[in-house]
Amino acid sequence: MAHTGIQSIGEEPGFDLAHFLACAGVGRRIVHCDPKGALFSQGDSADSIFYLQSGRLKVTVVSANGKEATITLLFAGDFIGEDSLTGTAERRSVTVTAITSSNAMKITRSEMIG
């Protein structure tokens, strides 16, 4: 059997990821986007990451000559804006728009890395 490196220690409950991603708290809030609403836009400050709880989103980029290209579609369970965690991206490089009514957990950079 392969060794995964993951071990349970004692009876203490560990970090509950599902609870963390479902509940607002310090540095986290739930945001709603109606269809065609922008979660964030290209050029906005890259200060947070989002976890899509429900709905569908479209990620697009606009080139210097004004042409828009769709990069990917996102579904519940996807993260958006991970580039903000590295600290190298000060501005968003893409626009994220709701295709359907969507809810996402907005998590500040300091909450994610703290």
Side-chain angles (χ1 to χ4, degrees), residues 33-75:
C33 268
D34 290 324
K36 299 186 181 180
L39 190 61
F40 58 80
S41 298
Q42 192 170 335
D44 287 354
S45 177
D47 59 354
S48 56
I49 187 171
F50 294 83
Y51 174 74
L52 185 56
Q53 295 176 321
S54 64
R56 290 182 38 201
L57 303 174
K58 173 175 70 169
V59 180
T60 59
V61 64
V62 176
S63 69
N65 63 359
K67 293 204 177 213
E68 181 179 272
T70 298
I71 305 298
T72 192
L73 300 177
L74 301 169
F75 302 89

